[in-house]
Amino acid sequence: MRNRKNDYWKTVTGKRVVFFLLILFVVLINFCSVQIAEFLQIPFFFDTWGTTLGVLVGGLAVGLVGGIVYNLIMMTVWGTSAWVWAFANIWVAIIVTILNRKGWISIKYPGKLFVSGIIVGLTTAIVIIIILFTAWGGVETYEGVLPTYDALLDVTGSKTIAAVGEKFITTPFDQIVSLFLAAIVYSALPSKFILNRRKK
């Protein structure tokens, strides 16, 4: 009986069930993380670590679909324009996939994992800045980052520099923590739930 249960997860139907469950978990993890961050009013969202975990466990498709669905759901919380933030999740899924294929996203290599967090953070900051200036004219909308933004504004006197600087400060930290969280959880998961086969 135990062998039959284990074999089920190797079937096409079993893999499809895992695929959709993983997408659901990506959405739930991102949603719960951002709700906690907003409640605590911290200058981080941590709403892409579910996307990263989805990529590690299920591959690029899981990360992409989960990240997009999450942002579509957030339209009911942040307003209809929130869909544009899906591009940040899309980018995270893509860049994490690339780094993961190089073997850098692993708790066994904390140095490479840390560097990966910086790479993902800096490049994601660029995507976020583009979204911020394209959709909102560079005006910050999240109260959690306003202290950092205001501090930079006091020093520079420039709203543009403050907005850009804040993203380059907060986003790398956000992504470093997110990658380590995802890598730790991934390393602890049973192999039967891993669709994206790679050495942990």
Side-chain angles (χ1 to χ4, degrees):
M1 181 65 69
R2 182 176 294 179
N3 289 335
R4 288 184 179 179
K5 288 182 178 179
N6 290 335
D7 289 341
Y8 171 77
W9 300 109
K10 298 178 182 179
T11 65
V12 173
T13 301
K15 289 180 178 179
R16 286 177 178 172
V17 171
V18 173
F19 179 81
F20 286 109
L21 284 175
L22 289 176
I23 290 174
L24 175 62
F25 280 120
V26 168
V27 174
L28 287 175
I29 290 171
N30 285 347
F31 181 82
C32 291
S33 297
V34 77
Q35 293 303 310
I36 292 172
E38 289 188 334
F39 176 77
L40 297 175
Q41 287 294 294
I42 57 177
F44 314 104
F45 282 110
F46 298 128
D47 66 339
T48 59
W49 84 270
T51 302
T52 296
L53 181 60
V55 169
L56 297 181
V57 178
L60 178 59
V62 170
L64 284 176
V65 176
I68 292 171
V69 171
Y70 155 71
N71 280 106
L72 292 178
I73 290 175
M74 291 307 292
M75 289 172 62
T76 64
V77 180
W78 290 338
T80 55
S81 60
W83 68 268
V84 299
W85 294 112
F87 288 108
N89 266 279
I90 290 171
W91 173 250
V92 168
I94 292 172
I95 190 65
V96 168
T97 297
I98 294 171
L99 293 169
N100 189 43
R101 287 174 180 172
K102 292 180 177 293
W104 284 34
I105 313 295
S106 173
I107 200 65
K108 291 182 179 180
Y109 309 109
K112 290 183 178 180
L113 188 56
F114 181 80
V115 173
S116 295
I118 294 175
I119 293 172
V120 176
L122 291 177
T123 56
T124 303
I126 294 173
V127 175
I128 292 173
I129 289 167
I130 292 173
I131 294 172
L132 189 64
F133 278 84
T134 301
W136 287 279
V139 178
E140 184 52 64
T141 58
Y142 174 49
E143 292 183 3
V145 300
L146 289 181
T148 306
Y149 172 85
D150 289 339
L152 290 173
L153 182 60
D154 289 339
V155 172
T156 64
S158 169
K159 292 182 178 180
T160 299
I161 294 176
V164 172
E166 178 272 313
K167 295 307 175 191
F168 277 117
I169 291 172
T170 59
T171 308
F173 181 85
D174 184 307
Q175 291 304 319
I176 289 170
V177 174
S178 294
L179 260 67
F180 270 90
L181 277 174
I184 291 170
V185 173
Y186 172 72
S187 67
L189 288 175
S191 59
K192 65 182 179 181
F193 295 122
I194 307 297
L195 297 182
N196 188 30
R197 296 296 176 183
R198 185 183 67 79
K199 290 183 179 181
K200 296 183 181 183

